[in-house]
Amino acid sequence: MTLQTHITVLEAAPGRCEELGGYLRDLLEPTRRLDGCLAFELQRDRQRWQLHSRWRSSTDLERYFAQPLLQEVINSAWKSGAIQHLKSRAA
């Protein structure tokens, strides 16, 4: 197994940064409890939020992406207009 690191950068719509952060904070504790999660951190840089995660394996990372809570949070933030731009990549 190979450790997997992933970064998601979400740019908030103007005036919506705190709202977006509220959505993303809902992911922290449930994600940290997932099997294979080694680290899951949320950081803010002006109008951007970054989710940094480390996983024991690619299977664990794929399981994270399939989590209903992740899908709900991102979909809700998109639909509300809080997210202006999202970029996701392996690190």
Side-chain angles (χ1 to χ4, degrees):
M1 285 193 257
T2 303
L3 292 179
Q4 301 289 308
T5 301
H6 193 270
I7 298 172
T8 302
V9 178
L10 302 103
E11 186 172 337
R16 311 279 299 270
C17 195
E18 287 305 318
E19 179 185 353
L20 178 55
Y23 282 107
L24 299 175
R25 283 184 199 96
D26 289 344
L27 294 172
L28 293 175
E29 290 310 313
T31 302
R32 289 174 177 156
R33 290 192 301 265
L34 292 175
D35 189 39
C37 181
L38 303 175
F40 191 78
E41 302 299 327
L42 176 63
Q43 298 174 341
R44 180 179 176 181
D45 178 25
R46 296 188 180 121
Q47 287 298 108
R48 292 186 181 138
W49 290 94
Q50 296 181 22
L51 291 169
H52 294 263
S53 62
R54 280 194 7 237
W55 301 89
R56 182 180 55 210
S57 70
S58 58
T59 301
D60 295 321
L61 177 58
E62 289 171 15
R63 193 177 307 122
Y64 157 67
F65 285 128
Q67 287 296 311
L69 178 61
L70 176 64
Q71 303 305 315
E72 287 175 23
V73 167
I74 298 300
N75 286 338
S76 293
W78 270 115
K79 288 178 183 177
S80 78
I83 298 174
Q84 181 170 304
H85 181 76
L86 183 148
K87 183 177 181 180
S88 187
R89 65 179 173 86

